[in-house]
Amino acid sequence: NYEKVISLIPVIESPTVRELPESPDLPNVLFVGIDSVSRLQFDRHFPITARNIISGQGFHTIYGYNKVADNTFPNLTPLLTGHYVEDLWDETMNTQFDYFPFIWKEYHRKGNKTLYMEDAPIMHTYNYEKKGFADPPTDYYLRPYYLAMDSKTKDYCYLGRVELEVYYEYLLDFIRAMNARKQKYFAFHFMARLTHDILNNVEVRRIRQTLSGRYEERLPFMHIYVPQRYRYRNLTVNEDRLTTPFDIHSTLKHILEGKPNTTLKYGLSLLEEIPYNRSCDSIPVLEHWCVCHISRRIHDLHSVRPMAEFVVTKLNDLLHD
């Protein structure tokens, strides 16, 4: 018996979604994310993409893009919701994530069709050791498709094809379908299996032991392309400013609302100039993840001994309690 999972892109009618005034000039939004890849790793492992697509095509490389937490879940959530995970959820909550204020919900209310897709369903951001969603979070939600496909995926191949080709083919088909229907969209695609399993294991453990590796761990790649009407001088200036996932969220709000949203708890729009003296404390980013600190070799060990003894004593007291 031969079985094959086929993905379709049906026409989805949403007559009640436009709770906000429709914006015919609102651009399409497309995220193509790759897990566990720093900016320098991107240059090393995707040189053709970096050279032929990113360079010279109007993309902005955000060199100061600093992650705010350890892994995918607490870094994507600020980008997609504008909040730290801890503001919305903790591990004691036996709940699903439908109530999260995802930015795609706001674009949906403006009339954009929404897509959310991740490969490797066992590692999906809101499903790995979590409850996922009670209802599909977007108009087009690919998790059921990937679950069916995953059982026939082996060695990163699906029925004789590299699985990444299948994923990106669907994304391209989605874009073509939306364009043919003259339908605006918000699409979020995130690929994790290959880079998480291979690049992360083979390379990162060794590189993290170096000073360069410390920076790489905290500086994921971020390339941004915007339509001509948004190509303000500020975007170029902000390439070298300290930025975070909160700023991407703030930029999406700026585009959606036509002006900077000054009520956001975190984040500044990249269409506005980011202060040159911005600090991790002002964002805020925990000191552990901040790349603005300088490490210095300590030669006078006697000067640090009292501090070390204090820390050890404090830890022992906490463990004893």
Side-chain angles (χ1 to χ4, degrees):
N1 294 333
Y2 179 79
E3 295 182 9
K4 182 178 181 180
V5 181
I6 299 176
S7 59
L8 301 175
I9 307 172
V11 175
I12 297 178
E13 298 293 342
S14 304
T16 62
V17 300
R18 291 192 174 99
E19 301 170 14
L20 302 174
E22 183 180 357
S23 299
D25 293 332
L26 197 65
N28 297 316
V29 177
L30 171 64
F31 280 92
V32 180
I34 307 175
D35 191 31
S36 304
V37 176
S38 70
R39 183 180 61 80
L40 292 178
Q41 273 185 313
F42 186 90
D43 291 343
R44 288 196 298 269
H45 294 286
F46 303 95
I48 297 176
T49 301
R51 182 173 62 251
N52 295 338
I53 298 180
I54 304 302
S55 300
Q57 297 296 322
F59 280 83
H60 293 269
T61 298
I62 310 302
Y63 295 99
Y65 186 66
N66 198 132
K67 72 180 191 178
V68 297
D70 187 16
N71 54 40
T72 305
F73 175 54
N75 281 292
L76 281 190
T77 296
L79 188 153
L80 292 172
T81 71
H83 295 275
Y84 276 106
V85 167
E86 293 80 5
D87 295 339
L88 304 170
W89 178 88
D90 65 61
E91 293 180 354
T92 66
M93 299 170 64
N94 186 28
T95 184
Q96 293 166 301
F97 296 97
D98 300 71
Y99 69 93
F100 268 31
F102 292 108
I103 187 67
W104 59 56
K105 293 181 180 180
E106 298 184 47
Y107 277 80
H108 178 77
R109 288 196 293 270
K110 283 279 192 174
N112 287 40
K113 296 302 180 188
T114 54
L115 165 74
Y116 173 37
M117 55 189 294
E118 293 189 51
D119 69 342
I122 193 174
M123 294 190 292
H124 278 188
T125 303
Y126 295 97
N127 292 87
Y128 179 67
E129 297 184 348
K130 305 177 192 70
K131 296 291 185 178
F133 300 96
D135 298 308
T138 54
D139 294 312
Y140 298 87
Y141 180 48
L142 272 289
R143 180 170 172 78
Y145 170 66
Y146 289 147
L147 285 170
M149 179 178 162
D150 204 49
S151 63
K152 300 182 182 301
T153 299
K154 183 179 180 181
D155 297 329
Y156 308 106
C157 289
Y158 171 68
L159 299 180
R161 296 185 64 193
V162 176
E163 61 175 331
L164 288 183
E165 291 182 357
V166 180
Y167 298 151
Y168 285 117
E169 184 178 81
Y170 180 91
L171 183 60
L172 286 171
D173 286 344
F174 172 83
I175 293 170
R176 293 187 185 110
M178 295 299 107
N179 289 340
R181 298 168 191 170
K182 295 181 171 54
Q183 172 63 60
K184 295 295 180 67
Y185 59 84
F186 182 109
F188 189 89
H189 173 283
F190 196 74
M191 185 269 285
R193 194 199 309 266
L194 188 63
T195 52
H196 185 277
D197 289 355
I198 297 179
L199 293 186
N200 209 23
N201 290 337
V202 173
E203 184 174 334
V204 170
R205 285 178 296 182
R206 174 169 48 86
I207 291 180
R208 279 180 178 173
Q209 305 306 313
T210 67
L211 179 60
S212 174
R214 180 180 183 276
Y215 288 114
E216 286 204 34
E217 183 184 9
R218 290 157 176 78
L219 295 171
F221 80 93
M222 176 58 72
H223 302 289
I224 298 176
Y225 181 91
V226 296
Q228 187 67 42
R229 63 182 180 274
Y230 295 110
R231 293 185 189 177
Y232 310 146
R233 171 184 171 274
N234 293 332
L235 258 179
T236 301
V237 170
N238 291 337
E239 289 181 357
D240 296 311
R241 300 286 166 86
L242 177 63
T243 53
T244 72
F246 291 114
D247 301 320
I248 304 301
H249 181 270
S250 181
T251 305
L252 292 172
K253 295 277 285 188
H254 185 162
I255 292 172
L256 185 73
E257 299 169 0
K259 59 182 180 180
N261 188 315
T262 58
T263 67
L264 297 177
K265 185 176 181 180
Y266 309 112
L268 300 172
S269 170
L270 295 179
L271 302 182
E272 300 287 305
E273 184 174 347
I274 302 295
Y276 77 94
N277 59 347
R278 192 185 200 189
S279 67
C280 289
D281 287 340
S282 68
I283 293 174
V285 175
L286 291 176
E287 183 176 350
H288 177 73
W289 300 113
C290 183
V291 297
C292 297
H293 298 293
I294 300 174
S295 298
R296 294 185 176 90
R297 184 178 296 277
I298 297 175
H299 298 284
D300 181 10
L301 297 182
H302 294 290
S303 65
V304 299
R305 184 181 182 89
M307 289 185 286
E309 291 177 344
F310 172 80
V311 171
V312 171
T313 301
K314 189 66 175 178
L315 288 173
N316 285 334
D317 290 343
L318 291 172
L319 292 172
H320 183 267
D321 293 341

